[in-house]
Amino acid sequence: MTIGRIFAGVVLVLPMAAAQAIDLPPWKEGLWEIRTQTTSNPGNKKTDGTVKLCRDHAYDKAAEDLLKKMKECTITWEAAGAGKFVSASRCTVNGTVIVSKGTSSYQSTSVHTETHTTYTPAFFGTEDETTIQDQTYVSSCPAGMKPGDRISSDGTKESHGK
């Protein structure tokens, strides 16, 4: 598994897994839009992407269980009061240490997360990055979609597990 795939998976499910870990109100089941904006350094390179993800409580619990089993990572969460929590992770993958710290504000139908990540040594030239992610409930999942299925910004559908 590549560093990028591990980190991307952690970023997508970390806020939802925190709900289980620190006993937050459950997220609404259905289709969620996840917009991610990242600024990478050196070079102040900006990327922006959106994906829609069909989720239910069982899917979020399975994602949390997967995170707990990742021997490469240590992840902590703590409630920060007033609809906020903080998270931290440290992963070592293929000799690269990935350290992330973030703050999330949540409601049952939305979560806003700001995370700072460092890579030691640099990962494909990236030393650090700041990620802003907004997850928002859209609707029930469309017919034919099951939890874990995704729709990319170009409309391409990807089934869970493929």
Side-chain angles (χ1 to χ4, degrees):
M1 185 175 287
T2 67
I3 294 170
R5 281 184 74 189
I6 289 173
F7 184 68
V10 169
V11 167
L12 274 179
V13 299
L14 194 59
M16 297 306 171
Q20 302 284 334
I22 59 177
D23 200 28
L24 299 175
W27 309 109
K28 188 167 177 87
E29 295 181 313
L31 190 66
W32 283 69
E33 182 174 85
I34 304 167
R35 181 176 182 207
T36 305
Q37 301 169 296
T38 304
T39 303
S40 302
N41 290 302
N44 203 32
K45 299 174 201 145
K46 297 182 187 294
T47 58
D48 190 346
T50 302
V51 65
K52 290 182 181 170
L53 174 67
C54 180
R55 63 170 22 116
D56 65 7
H57 298 307
Y59 174 79
D60 290 337
K61 176 73 171 117
E64 177 196 2
D65 292 345
L66 182 63
L67 286 175
K68 287 179 180 178
K69 291 178 185 177
M70 290 177 63
K71 294 179 177 145
E72 307 92 349
C73 298
T74 303
I75 302 168
T76 60
W77 298 277
E78 71 179 66
K84 291 185 178 186
F85 62 89
V86 294
S87 59
S89 66
R90 179 184 174 90
C91 301
T92 303
V93 182
N94 296 334
T96 298
V97 177
I98 307 165
V99 177
S100 296
K101 293 181 183 177
T103 302
S104 297
S105 302
Y106 64 89
Q107 298 177 350
S108 65
T109 58
S110 66
V111 61
H112 173 84
T113 304
E114 296 186 19
T115 307
H116 183 75
T117 305
T118 60
Y119 301 90
T120 308
F123 176 63
F124 289 104
T126 300
E127 296 171 358
D128 70 273
E129 59 191 10
T130 300
T131 302
I132 299 171
Q133 185 180 81
D134 289 294
Q135 298 192 34
T136 307
Y137 173 80
V138 176
S139 65
S140 58
C141 294
M145 283 189 80
K146 62 184 185 298
D149 289 354
R150 299 174 188 200
I151 303 171
S152 66
S153 58
D154 68 2
T156 303
K157 292 182 183 177
E158 181 182 318
S159 294
H160 179 62
K162 291 186 179 179

